[in-house]
Amino acid sequence: MKAALYPGTFDPVTNGHIDIAVRASRIFPKVIAVVAENPAKEPLFSADERVELAKESFKEVPQIEVIKYSGLLVNCLREYNASVLIRGLRALSDFEYEFQMAFTNRNLLASCETVFLMPSAKYTYLSSTMVKQIAQLKGDITAFVPDCVRLKIEEKYRKI
Ligand code: COA
Protein backbone atom coordinates (compact mmCIF):
# COMPACT_ATOMS: atom_id res chain seq x y z
CA MET A 1 0.00 0.00 0.00
CA LYS A 2 1.25 3.48 -0.88
CA ALA A 3 1.59 6.59 1.27
CA ALA A 4 -1.45 8.70 2.10
CA LEU A 5 -1.23 12.51 2.07
CA TYR A 6 -2.74 14.46 4.95
CA PRO A 7 -3.06 18.06 3.66
CA GLY A 8 -4.01 21.15 5.59
CA THR A 9 -3.09 24.73 6.26
CA PHE A 10 -2.06 23.67 9.78
CA ASP A 11 -2.07 27.26 11.05
CA PRO A 12 -1.19 25.87 13.54
CA VAL A 13 -1.45 22.12 14.20
CA THR A 14 -3.91 21.32 16.99
CA ASN A 15 -4.40 18.18 19.07
CA GLY A 16 -7.27 17.37 16.71
CA HIS A 17 -4.88 17.22 13.74
CA ILE A 18 -2.55 14.97 15.76
CA ASP A 19 -5.48 12.71 16.60
CA ILE A 20 -6.30 12.34 12.87
CA ALA A 21 -2.64 11.74 11.95
CA VAL A 22 -2.37 8.94 14.54
CA ARG A 23 -5.54 7.29 13.20
CA ALA A 24 -4.24 7.55 9.62
CA SER A 25 -0.89 6.03 10.62
CA ARG A 26 -2.74 2.94 11.91
CA ILE A 27 -4.26 2.42 8.46
CA PHE A 28 -1.52 3.48 6.02
CA PRO A 29 2.12 2.35 6.00
CA LYS A 30 3.26 5.95 5.53
CA VAL A 31 1.51 9.28 6.07
CA ILE A 32 2.79 12.52 4.59
CA ALA A 33 1.45 15.65 6.27
CA VAL A 34 1.33 18.30 3.55
CA VAL A 35 1.52 21.88 4.76
CA ALA A 36 -0.37 23.49 1.89
CA GLU A 37 -1.70 26.89 0.94
CA ASN A 38 -5.38 27.70 1.14
CA PRO A 39 -5.75 30.84 -1.02
CA ALA A 40 -8.80 31.82 1.04
CA LYS A 41 -6.79 32.08 4.25
CA GLU A 42 -4.25 34.55 5.59
CA PRO A 43 -2.21 32.43 7.95
CA LEU A 44 -0.76 33.74 11.19
CA PHE A 45 2.36 31.59 10.72
CA SER A 46 4.56 31.52 7.61
CA ALA A 47 4.73 28.27 5.64
CA ASP A 48 8.16 27.51 7.11
CA GLU A 49 6.94 28.15 10.65
CA ARG A 50 3.94 25.87 10.04
CA VAL A 51 6.24 23.13 8.74
CA GLU A 52 8.54 23.44 11.76
CA LEU A 53 5.60 23.30 14.16
CA ALA A 54 4.06 20.36 12.30
CA LYS A 55 7.37 18.45 12.45
CA GLU A 56 7.62 19.02 16.18
CA SER A 57 3.92 18.29 16.82
CA PHE A 58 3.78 15.10 14.75
CA LYS A 59 7.11 13.72 15.95
CA GLU A 60 5.47 10.98 18.07
CA VAL A 61 3.21 9.83 15.22
CA PRO A 62 4.64 6.64 13.70
CA GLN A 63 5.74 6.63 10.02
CA ILE A 64 4.84 10.27 9.35
CA GLU A 65 6.76 12.79 7.26
CA VAL A 66 6.03 16.53 6.97
CA ILE A 67 6.47 18.46 3.73
CA LYS A 68 5.59 21.90 2.38
CA TYR A 69 3.72 22.14 -0.91
CA SER A 70 2.47 25.24 -2.65
CA GLY A 71 0.83 23.84 -5.79
CA LEU A 72 -2.27 21.78 -6.45
CA LEU A 73 -2.72 18.79 -4.17
CA VAL A 74 -3.32 16.48 -7.11
CA ASN A 75 0.17 17.35 -8.40
CA CYS A 76 1.58 16.51 -4.99
CA LEU A 77 -0.19 13.13 -5.22
CA ARG A 78 1.40 12.56 -8.62
CA GLU A 79 4.86 13.49 -7.33
CA TYR A 80 4.57 11.01 -4.49
CA ASN A 81 2.94 8.36 -6.66
CA ALA A 82 0.03 8.40 -4.20
CA SER A 83 -3.73 8.51 -4.61
CA VAL A 84 -5.20 8.89 -1.11
CA LEU A 85 -5.93 12.14 0.71
CA ILE A 86 -6.81 12.07 4.41
CA ARG A 87 -9.19 14.68 5.78
CA GLY A 88 -10.68 15.00 9.23
CA LEU A 89 -14.46 15.32 9.51
CA ARG A 90 -15.52 16.98 12.72
CA ALA A 91 -19.14 17.99 12.39
CA LEU A 92 -21.81 17.94 9.74
CA SER A 93 -20.88 21.53 8.92
CA ASP A 94 -17.53 20.33 7.51
CA PHE A 95 -19.28 18.05 5.05
CA GLU A 96 -20.28 20.40 2.24
CA TYR A 97 -16.84 21.99 1.94
CA GLU A 98 -15.11 18.61 2.12
CA PHE A 99 -17.53 17.10 -0.39
CA GLN A 100 -16.75 19.90 -2.85
CA MET A 101 -12.99 19.54 -2.37
CA ALA A 102 -13.07 15.75 -2.72
CA PHE A 103 -15.02 15.92 -5.98
CA THR A 104 -12.87 18.74 -7.35
CA ASN A 105 -9.72 16.76 -6.62
CA ARG A 106 -11.23 13.68 -8.25
CA ASN A 107 -12.17 15.72 -11.31
CA LEU A 108 -8.56 16.85 -11.55
CA LEU A 109 -7.15 13.37 -10.95
CA ALA A 110 -9.44 10.39 -11.47
CA SER A 111 -7.48 8.08 -9.18
CA CYS A 112 -7.71 10.48 -6.21
CA GLU A 113 -9.63 9.07 -3.26
CA THR A 114 -10.38 11.11 -0.14
CA VAL A 115 -10.59 9.15 3.09
CA PHE A 116 -12.43 10.89 5.93
CA LEU A 117 -11.53 10.12 9.51
CA MET A 118 -13.36 11.31 12.60
CA PRO A 119 -11.32 12.71 15.48
CA SER A 120 -12.01 11.88 19.09
CA ALA A 121 -15.29 13.53 20.19
CA LYS A 122 -13.43 15.97 22.45
CA TYR A 123 -11.88 17.60 19.37
CA THR A 124 -15.11 17.90 17.41
CA TYR A 125 -15.45 21.63 17.92
CA LEU A 126 -11.77 22.48 17.84
CA SER A 127 -10.28 24.63 15.07
CA SER A 128 -7.06 26.54 14.52
CA THR A 129 -9.02 29.81 14.39
CA MET A 130 -10.58 29.12 17.78
CA VAL A 131 -7.20 28.34 19.32
CA LYS A 132 -5.69 31.55 17.91
CA GLN A 133 -8.62 33.61 19.15
CA ILE A 134 -8.37 32.23 22.69
CA ALA A 135 -4.59 32.80 22.74
CA GLN A 136 -4.95 36.35 21.41
CA LEU A 137 -7.33 37.13 24.28
CA LYS A 138 -4.84 35.59 26.74
CA GLY A 139 -6.90 32.45 27.41
CA ASP A 140 -5.43 29.05 28.23
CA ILE A 141 -4.94 26.82 25.17
CA THR A 142 -3.03 24.04 26.94
CA ALA A 143 -5.76 21.46 26.32
CA PHE A 144 -5.98 22.16 22.60
CA VAL A 145 -2.44 22.22 21.21
CA PRO A 146 0.94 20.62 21.94
CA ASP A 147 3.34 22.66 24.08
CA CYS A 148 5.57 23.68 21.17
CA VAL A 149 2.56 25.26 19.43
CA ARG A 150 1.31 26.95 22.60
CA LEU A 151 4.68 28.59 23.19
CA LYS A 152 4.93 29.82 19.56
CA ILE A 153 1.42 31.29 19.53
CA GLU A 154 2.00 33.06 22.84
CA GLU A 155 5.29 34.43 21.52
CA LYS A 156 3.63 35.57 18.29
CA TYR A 157 0.85 37.46 20.06
CA ARG A 158 3.33 39.09 22.47
CA LYS A 159 5.03 40.63 19.42
CA ILE A 160 1.88 41.76 17.58
N1 COA B 1 -9.08 18.91 14.68
C1 COA B 1 -9.14 20.21 14.87
N2 COA B 1 -9.29 21.08 13.87
C2 COA B 1 -9.39 20.58 12.65
C3 COA B 1 -9.35 19.22 12.37
C4 COA B 1 -9.18 18.37 13.46
N3 COA B 1 -9.13 17.06 13.32
N4 COA B 1 -9.49 19.03 11.05
C5 COA B 1 -9.63 20.24 10.51
N5 COA B 1 -9.57 21.16 11.47
C6 COA B 1 -9.75 22.60 11.32
C7 COA B 1 -8.49 23.32 11.05
O1 COA B 1 -7.90 23.74 12.26
C8 COA B 1 -8.97 24.45 10.20
O2 COA B 1 -9.45 25.46 11.04
P1 COA B 1 -9.44 26.97 10.59
O3 COA B 1 -10.38 27.06 9.39
O4 COA B 1 -9.93 27.65 11.79
O5 COA B 1 -8.02 27.32 10.19
C9 COA B 1 -10.15 23.86 9.44
O6 COA B 1 -10.59 22.80 10.21
C10 COA B 1 -9.82 23.26 8.12
O7 COA B 1 -8.51 23.49 7.87
P2 COA B 1 -7.39 22.51 7.36
O8 COA B 1 -7.62 21.09 7.70
O9 COA B 1 -6.09 23.11 7.79
O10 COA B 1 -7.63 22.60 5.89
P3 COA B 1 -7.90 23.80 4.99
O11 COA B 1 -9.34 23.72 4.70
O12 COA B 1 -7.38 25.09 5.48
O13 COA B 1 -6.95 23.32 3.86
C11 COA B 1 -6.30 22.69 1.72
C12 COA B 1 -7.39 23.18 2.64
C13 COA B 1 -4.94 23.29 2.06
C14 COA B 1 -6.22 21.19 1.82
C15 COA B 1 -6.82 23.17 0.36
O14 COA B 1 -6.93 24.57 0.36
C16 COA B 1 -5.93 22.72 -0.76
O15 COA B 1 -6.10 21.63 -1.24
N6 COA B 1 -4.97 23.57 -1.17
C17 COA B 1 -4.04 23.24 -2.23
C18 COA B 1 -4.50 23.81 -3.54
C19 COA B 1 -5.46 22.88 -4.23
O16 COA B 1 -5.13 21.78 -4.59
N7 COA B 1 -6.68 23.39 -4.40
C20 COA B 1 -7.75 22.61 -4.98
C21 COA B 1 -8.38 21.76 -3.93
S1 COA B 1 -10.07 21.47 -4.25
Side-chain angles (χ1 to χ4, degrees):
M1 207 192 263
K2 296 178 206 159
L5 304 191
Y6 177 30
T9 309
F10 299 122
D11 184 45
V13 168
T14 66
N15 290 339
H17 290 124
I18 298 172
D19 177 290
I20 294 289
V22 168
R23 289 174 199 280
S25 77
R26 293 189 194 128
I27 303 173
F28 297 94
K30 186 174 174 78
V31 176
I32 302 174
V34 183
V35 178
E37 297 303 327
N38 180 344
K41 286 185 177 173
E42 262 186 54
L44 175 68
F45 292 101
S46 71
D48 287 334
E49 288 175 317
R50 284 180 278 136
V51 168
E52 276 319 301
L53 285 176
K55 281 187 178 161
E56 183 65 21
S57 307
F58 288 139
K59 70 174 189 238
E60 308 290 335
V61 181
Q63 68 257 0
I64 195 162
E65 187 187 327
V66 177
I67 63 161
K68 175 171 81 173
Y69 199 82
S70 54
L72 281 176
L73 272 184
V74 290
N75 289 338
C76 189
L77 283 172
R78 288 189 181 100
E79 279 177 35
Y80 282 84
N81 190 27
S83 55
V84 175
L85 294 177
I86 306 286
R87 292 288 291 168
L89 257 196
R90 292 161 301 166
L92 200 59
S93 51
D94 282 345
F95 183 74
E96 189 144 346
Y97 171 63
E98 293 297 337
F99 185 80
Q100 196 178 11
M101 265 205 314
F103 272 105
T104 305
N105 283 323
R106 193 186 274 167
N107 282 338
L108 294 170
L109 179 71
S111 61
C112 176
E113 295 295 351
T114 305
V115 172
F116 296 102
L117 298 176
M118 292 192 313
S120 166
K122 63 182 180 224
Y123 301 130
T124 306
Y125 294 102
L126 186 56
S127 76
S128 301
T129 300
M130 204 180 81
V131 166
K132 285 180 283 191
Q133 202 174 89
I134 296 169
Q136 192 174 13
L137 299 172
K138 311 252 180 298
D140 182 9
I141 53 170
T142 314
F144 308 131
V145 292
D147 262 0
C148 60
V149 170
R150 181 179 58 77
L151 294 171
K152 273 279 178 211
I153 300 186
E154 288 172 356
E155 185 190 319
K156 194 70 131 188
Y157 282 123
R158 265 198 304 272
K159 287 183 188 159
I160 290 176

